[in-house]
Amino acid sequence: VADLREENERLRRELANSQNKVYDAELILEQNEYLRSYLGIKAEHSDFKFEEATVVGRESTNYRTVYTLSKGTMHGVKVNMPVITDDGLVGYVTEVGATWCRAVSLLETASSVGAYIERSGTLGIVEGTYELRFEGLCRMVYIESGSDIREGDRVLTSGMGSFYPRGLSIGTVVRVDADQ
């Protein structure tokens, strides 16, 4: 009986140790995935200076959502700098303090950016609208009639007429509608 108790206790310790190893491996995998996407952005935009920040606050009203990020002037952050993730452009910095900044999303009605369709080169302006922001969408306007745009096309910043540099991913076309 004593041998069985001893073996049972040893097996419990081994199981706990194995569970800790699985947990640690999952954390390492998540961290690895994050670093791969971060390095991918840095490789794609090697001319940029990056400052990693986290969202530390969110203020939301019916008309606008503002995010507070964990970096500010001490880290080189300035008003109008673009905010990007591995998915692409998120928005821009509107206010900066020493250790924080506030950013507005591209989905907001006051936001717009010069853009182009990567496949066809079609130019336009991507802007947020009140109606679409709740769906996590924005629209591309001022497009020449008859332009070649298809669902799934990648939309990138054009670098013209704004503080956004050329070539940042904005997203993909999910629907093509004719003007009313």
Side-chain angles (χ1 to χ4, degrees), residues 31-124:
Q31 197 173 43
N32 189 23
E33 187 177 317
Y34 166 77
L35 290 172
R36 282 180 186 267
S37 68
Y38 183 70
L39 289 173
I41 293 171
K42 287 191 80 152
E44 188 176 343
H45 300 286
S46 59
D47 54 329
F48 291 2
K49 180 182 180 269
F50 288 88
E51 189 61 52
E52 184 179 336
T54 56
V55 176
V56 294
R58 180 176 183 233
E59 303 164 30
S60 190
T61 67
N62 285 340
Y63 300 103
R64 186 173 165 170
T65 301
V66 178
Y67 299 94
T68 303
L69 306 177
S70 63
K71 299 292 171 112
T73 55
M74 288 178 52
H75 310 95
V77 177
K78 298 176 183 165
V79 170
N80 292 334
M81 282 186 158
V83 177
I84 63 173
T85 68
D86 58 331
D87 291 327
L89 181 64
V90 174
Y92 62 97
V93 174
T94 58
E95 186 180 351
V96 184
T99 59
W100 57 270
C101 68
R102 289 201 173 96
V104 173
S105 166
L106 184 59
L107 301 177
E108 301 301 325
T109 56
S111 297
S112 65
V113 58
Y116 72 99
I117 303 296
E118 184 177 42
R119 182 185 54 77
S120 66
T122 300
L123 291 170

Side-chain angles (χ1 to χ4, degrees), residues 6 24 34 45 61 71 79 86 99 119 122 128 134 139-140 145 149 169 175 177:
E6 206 174 283
D24 290 345
Y34 166 77
H45 300 286
T61 67
K71 299 292 171 112
V79 170
D86 58 331
T99 59
R119 182 185 54 77
T122 300
F134 298 107
R139 67 180 180 180
M140 189 167 175
S145 180
I149 301 175
S169 176
R175 186 174 66 234
D177 295 328

